Amino acid sequence: MIPNLVQHGKLSTQTKSRVGRYGYSLLELLVVVSVFGILAVSLGSVMLVSTKTLSITTSSAAQVSDSAKISSLISSEISLAIQFFEQSDEAIEFSVTDRDGDQEPEIIRYEYTGPPQGTLSQSIWFSETKTTVTSMIARDLAHFQFIPRQSSTPAISVGKYISGIDQLLFHRETECEELSSKTGLLITRNQTSQTTEETTITSFMQSFGMTVNRISQSSSHSEFQTAIATADLVYIPSNLTSFLLEGKLDNITIGIVNANINMAEQLGIGNSDSSLATSSTLEISADSNQLADGHTIGILPLFSEPKLLSTLSSDPLHLSPDFKTVGGFNGSTALGYLDAHQRKYNSADNSETVLGNTALTIDGEVPVVGENHHATKTTLATEADFRYLTVYLAGDDTLNSSVRFGIYQDDNGVPAELLAETEVGQLTGSHSRWYSLSFPETLSLEEGNYWIAASTSGPISFYYQAGGSRRQAVSQSPPSVGLMDPWPEDSIVGSDSSLLMHASLTELKYTQGKRIQVPFNDQTLSVNDPTTKGLNLLRTAFRWATTPSTAPFEATESVSNSQSVGQFFCPELPSDQEGWYPTRIALKVRPLHSASNARFRLSLYQASEAGLPLQLLERTPWINLDVLFGDTFRWHTMRVKNRVKQPSGSGICITLEADSDENAMQVICEQMIGSPQSHFMRKQTAENWSPSGEDEQMSIYVFGRTYQTR
């Protein structure tokens, strides 16, 4: 029996039966073998070999016809395969492109049970309804075999029954906040009535479980501050008048989700392109951030029919230097974000010369108590003028700490003569942020090496990135007296790292909370307009906006040929599942400029009882670091080819190594305590793997499948 797979867009299981004789002639067998040979060559994927006796046949010609139909059915489906999950003698399972209209792949499985029943069945898992439809292709098959294609890494059978499709089995990363306990502040055109768009956004927020408060765009500054104090995020719809909000949202620490193109510059995101595009889709260009969670690179169906989209400028100079684009339309940005403590767009000075480090990628902190000087080395490529010095600091909750910043001349790699110092500033509270102080007059510098320094009265914390140089010196006087001149010769050499400090001509502004630009710009937006994926995109933006930035709590581990790092993981499975296997693993990594020609590779090991690498399962080829794109942390995915079955309670280790003598790359870790399910590990040259013994875990996502035996 052969199901007609697609009939008017729906699955059909209509079958035909015939009455015929038993047995084959030599000619018939030759015809069947010939058909199979042609299919195997044309597909290059799987060869099907079938010798069987049908319970009912009619004639020699009919017998060959049924064999050809079965072969053609399965082979035609295999030719459409996107990815194979299992290839064994008894079963083959693979994904195909969307068939139920939700833009997600479907999973098809063919399985032969063997005698005495001898059934050949087809199962299709539909992603939209999360259901499996199974139909019988043939019965009473004396023999049927799938012969996997030959390759250096053949697929491995992982069990009789695979539950569902790829799922998140294990992860270690700070998760987005749930919205059920959150309060959203919706800014409206007036307080007494709502527009169609405002009513729709209110409904969306409430459907996410949020409490919704409203405030008119005409409310006073003090009314805004009162409303913001009890909110977790602010939503700005497209229909507001931007000048009525000027100054009312400056420096607020909660997240802002913005759909108003005229507010983009005021929020520090960038210039709009002063035009509105009409589209029902959005092109996702990056999947390395939680804002793109659940959406892969490519076309995303945003609305059920074309709607107006808000877009930003396509010129990077007209956007914040730290703005991250996630999606767009026709080359212009429509979806993206600024994290907390990142540079705002400055239309007048967005491309000015900046000396030092302004990117907020934090590798650690230096707590300071008492009078101390800290300096970090930086290079100026061309002569420039400077008026401000800015340092990323955190003070104490109860004490007022004073600070003063300055610039020193470099003398053979150490700070020497003091060139200029700023005014004195005061730090209050423990909130980590950028602090700017000004020079009495503009400081003109020629190209060369310099040291940016800060003097503190403590207690204060500095933050740093790996790589570069820094120095520490004990001062006998507070910042109010001034910086030491010259820098003391007996200063302490810090580790290979750079403090987050920079100089600029004009004062750079920084966000205090997350700023997200979304493309929901149509004032006629109704609750039925967004697709499921479009609504999920908005929900994810809200979740990410309400999640505090974790940058100050992240640490990094360097990877080189003298030090490899790894992570052990063992997912907790449902009680009815007997085991699991991984299909893809994502790690948060970045390359280092000093090792731009280096390579790295990932290895997957069976874990020992101690959770350490025991037996190599799979290894990637050496990968050039330039695939990691720039010096920011991004998710890098390893797709697992050898699907080796793991019993419940059994774990796997993934390791990273580099072939450079220098630090070739870094992997980011969270401050999390190890457990029986996971821990971080290191391996020095000529040493064995060992747990780090520290409260850190690699930022990692493990996707895979669970199984049970029928």
Side-chain angles (χ1 to χ4, degrees), residues 3-12 77 99:
N4 180 11
L5 278 182
V6 180
Q7 187 177 44
H8 304 298
K10 296 183 179 180
L11 187 71
S12 172
E77 291 285 34
R99 293 186 176 182

Short mmCIF file of all heavy atoms in Angstrom, two decimals, residues 3-12 77 99:
data_model
loop_
_atom_site.label_atom_id
_atom_site.label_comp_id
_atom_site.label_asym_id
_atom_site.label_seq_id
_atom_site.Cartn_x
_atom_site.Cartn_y
_atom_site.Cartn_z
N PRO A 3 0.84 5.38 0.30
CA PRO A 3 0.08 6.62 0.54
C PRO A 3 0.44 7.69 -0.46
O PRO A 3 1.59 7.84 -0.83
CB PRO A 3 0.51 7.03 1.96
CG PRO A 3 1.86 6.44 2.11
CD PRO A 3 1.87 5.17 1.32
N ASN A 4 -0.56 8.40 -0.90
CA ASN A 4 -0.33 9.56 -1.73
C ASN A 4 -0.02 10.72 -0.80
O ASN A 4 -0.89 11.25 -0.13
CB ASN A 4 -1.58 9.85 -2.56
CG ASN A 4 -1.40 11.04 -3.46
OD1 ASN A 4 -0.28 11.51 -3.61
ND2 ASN A 4 -2.49 11.50 -4.05
N LEU A 5 1.26 11.16 -0.71
CA LEU A 5 1.70 12.07 0.34
C LEU A 5 0.98 13.40 0.32
O LEU A 5 0.56 13.92 1.34
CB LEU A 5 3.20 12.32 0.22
CG LEU A 5 4.10 11.25 0.84
CD1 LEU A 5 5.54 11.66 0.69
CD2 LEU A 5 3.73 11.03 2.28
N VAL A 6 0.88 14.03 -0.83
CA VAL A 6 0.29 15.36 -0.88
C VAL A 6 -0.87 15.36 -1.85
O VAL A 6 -0.72 15.02 -3.02
CB VAL A 6 1.33 16.41 -1.30
CG1 VAL A 6 0.68 17.77 -1.33
CG2 VAL A 6 2.51 16.40 -0.35
N GLN A 7 -2.04 15.70 -1.36
CA GLN A 7 -3.22 15.79 -2.22
C GLN A 7 -4.00 17.01 -1.79
O GLN A 7 -4.55 17.07 -0.71
CB GLN A 7 -4.06 14.52 -2.10
CG GLN A 7 -5.22 14.48 -3.10
CD GLN A 7 -5.96 13.19 -3.00
OE1 GLN A 7 -6.24 12.73 -1.90
NE2 GLN A 7 -6.30 12.60 -4.13
N HIS A 8 -3.96 18.06 -2.63
CA HIS A 8 -4.59 19.35 -2.28
C HIS A 8 -4.03 19.89 -0.97
O HIS A 8 -4.75 20.44 -0.15
CB HIS A 8 -6.10 19.19 -2.18
CG HIS A 8 -6.72 18.64 -3.43
ND1 HIS A 8 -6.66 19.27 -4.65
CD2 HIS A 8 -7.37 17.46 -3.64
CE1 HIS A 8 -7.29 18.54 -5.57
NE2 HIS A 8 -7.71 17.44 -4.98
N GLY A 9 -2.71 19.72 -0.75
CA GLY A 9 -2.06 20.31 0.41
C GLY A 9 -2.21 19.53 1.69
O GLY A 9 -1.74 19.95 2.72
N LYS A 10 -2.92 18.36 1.68
CA LYS A 10 -3.13 17.62 2.92
C LYS A 10 -2.65 16.19 2.74
O LYS A 10 -2.57 15.65 1.63
CB LYS A 10 -4.61 17.62 3.31
CG LYS A 10 -5.14 19.02 3.64
CD LYS A 10 -6.58 18.96 4.10
CE LYS A 10 -7.10 20.34 4.45
NZ LYS A 10 -8.51 20.29 4.89
N LEU A 11 -2.32 15.57 3.86
CA LEU A 11 -1.86 14.20 3.84
C LEU A 11 -3.01 13.27 3.53
O LEU A 11 -4.08 13.35 4.11
CB LEU A 11 -1.24 13.83 5.19
CG LEU A 11 -0.56 12.47 5.24
CD1 LEU A 11 0.74 12.51 4.44
CD2 LEU A 11 -0.28 12.09 6.68
N SER A 12 -2.80 12.36 2.57
CA SER A 12 -3.83 11.39 2.22
C SER A 12 -3.30 9.99 2.45
O SER A 12 -2.15 9.70 2.18
CB SER A 12 -4.21 11.54 0.74
OG SER A 12 -5.07 10.48 0.34
N GLU A 77 11.34 11.43 -1.71
CA GLU A 77 11.38 12.16 -0.44
C GLU A 77 12.82 12.40 0.00
O GLU A 77 13.18 13.48 0.48
CB GLU A 77 10.62 11.39 0.65
CG GLU A 77 9.12 11.33 0.44
CD GLU A 77 8.43 12.64 0.77
OE1 GLU A 77 9.01 13.70 0.54
OE2 GLU A 77 7.29 12.59 1.26
N ARG A 99 6.05 22.11 5.18
CA ARG A 99 4.88 21.60 4.45
C ARG A 99 3.56 22.02 5.08
O ARG A 99 2.50 21.71 4.53
CB ARG A 99 4.94 20.07 4.35
CG ARG A 99 6.10 19.58 3.50
CD ARG A 99 6.06 18.09 3.30
NE ARG A 99 7.12 17.65 2.40
CZ ARG A 99 7.30 16.40 2.01
NH1 ARG A 99 6.47 15.45 2.43
NH2 ARG A 99 8.28 16.08 1.20
#
